[in-house]
Amino acid sequence: MVRILDVIMFVSIIMTFLGLPLFFTGLSFQGIVFEKQIFFYFWTLIALISWAGKGVITGEMKIRRTPLDIPIVLFWLVYLLATIFSVDRWHSFVGLFGDPSRGFMSITAVVIFYYIIMSNFSERMFRWVMGAIVLAGTIVIAWSTLGVMGINFLPEKIASYAPLSLIGSVSGLGMFLAVMVPILITVVFKLRSSEEMGELMKNILTGAMIVLLVLNIFMLMTLYGFVPWIGFMIGIGFFLIFILSRII
């Protein structure tokens, strides 16, 4: 039973990283972001139930402590106080109907999800999460590139209401593409340093990641006005400093 609960929790975490950038319906109830938030709540709840069930069976529930605990708890308490003293407690607690991601429920779900990951973290989970993020990024980049270039790749009935951005907004797409740059570079370095993979497969996957990185940069330039360039350049700067320190 413990192994079954571990598998359910593992799948829930992977589905969150894989599905959240992709999950959407053109005919949504309140908007794409609303659908994504419900998707996130669903898998977080499944992971939490599995984690709690495992703790009941084993008689202990390990919560891994990190230096981030204090700022996370303080941020959550400030959000709680802001919700209590809000002039519109309902929207502060649940969030807007079209975009509930800024409500107190969403912040609480993110904190719970963080501790689920940290308390059950392993190298195997990290590899699967990275694979899920890259797969989701591949689909988002390919979808957006074809949409920007005006290439019809969907049936006419679906294309009439399919969005350009699977993220939920064009600004959200720009932020997602900016985040994907260091992730793809990291995957390229990891592939080149892998000793378990054959040379042919290594070259094929590396070439695919480089092509994906080029398309990602092309989309960033296309969506120039919607990309947080200051944050992007600062993040890339710290990333390059880290890479150089590891090389030296």
Side-chain angles (χ1 to χ4, degrees):
M1 181 59 68
V2 171
R3 296 179 73 179
I4 292 174
L5 291 174
D6 269 334
V7 170
I8 294 174
M9 182 172 55
F10 188 84
V11 171
S12 300
I13 293 172
I14 300 305
M15 283 303 300
T16 303
F17 282 99
L18 174 63
L20 200 60
L22 306 176
F23 182 80
F24 75 100
T25 55
L27 302 174
S28 58
F29 289 107
Q30 296 288 342
I32 295 177
V33 181
F34 177 83
E35 311 295 314
K36 290 177 181 293
Q37 199 66 30
I38 299 302
F39 182 86
F40 174 62
Y41 287 158
F42 172 77
W43 288 112
T44 301
L45 180 61
I46 296 296
L48 179 61
I49 292 173
S50 303
W51 187 31
K54 177 184 174 182
V56 170
I57 294 174
T58 59
E60 60 179 355
M61 194 170 181
K62 296 180 180 179
I63 300 178
R64 187 174 295 172
R65 304 295 300 274
T66 70
L68 288 175
D69 290 345
I70 295 176
I72 287 175
V73 171
L74 289 177
F75 179 74
W76 184 83
L77 289 175
V78 169
Y79 228 98
L80 176 61
L81 291 175
T83 302
I84 294 174
F85 293 103
S86 173
V87 295
D88 189 351
R89 293 189 182 92
W90 170 255
H91 284 101
S92 296
F93 181 77
V94 179
L96 299 176
F97 292 114
D99 181 6
S101 62
R102 295 173 180 83
F104 179 73
M105 278 183 59
S106 176
I107 299 301
T108 304
V110 170
V111 172
I112 292 173
F113 189 70
Y114 166 79
Y115 280 105
I116 291 174
I117 292 178
M118 291 304 300
S119 301
N120 299 278
F121 191 78
S122 64
E123 184 179 354
R124 176 170 171 265
M125 177 183 289
F126 176 74
R127 290 185 177 184
W128 276 91
V129 166
M130 285 293 289
I133 294 173
V134 171
L135 179 58
T138 301
I139 298 175
V140 169
I141 293 169
W143 177 288
S144 304
T145 303
L146 292 173
V148 166
M149 296 180 68
I151 300 174
N152 296 323
F153 59 100
L154 294 172
E156 186 176 350
K157 291 183 178 180
I158 299 178
S160 60
Y161 61 81
L164 171 66
S165 169
L166 299 182
I167 304 301
S169 65
V170 180
S171 58
L173 176 61
M175 186 176 296
F176 179 81
L177 294 174
V179 171
M180 284 301 298
V181 172
I183 292 177
L184 291 175
I185 295 175
T186 302
V187 172
V188 170
F189 278 114
K190 185 64 177 176
L191 286 172
R192 298 314 304 171
S193 63
S194 176
E195 298 178 355
E196 304 172 356
M197 193 178 300
E199 194 65 28
L200 178 61
M201 181 59 66
K202 188 188 299 186
N203 292 334
I204 293 174
L205 292 178
T206 302
M209 290 299 103
I210 292 175
V211 170
L212 195 62
L213 181 61
V214 171
L215 289 176
N216 195 352
I217 295 174
F218 166 75
M219 284 302 303
L220 283 174
M221 300 306 297
T222 304
L223 304 175
Y224 182 85
F226 298 94
V227 178
W229 287 106
I230 296 177
F232 173 68
M233 297 306 295
I234 293 174
I236 290 295
F238 277 110
F239 178 74
L240 292 177
I241 291 172
F242 173 74
I243 293 295
L244 289 174
S245 67
R246 297 294 296 178
I247 292 174
I248 295 172

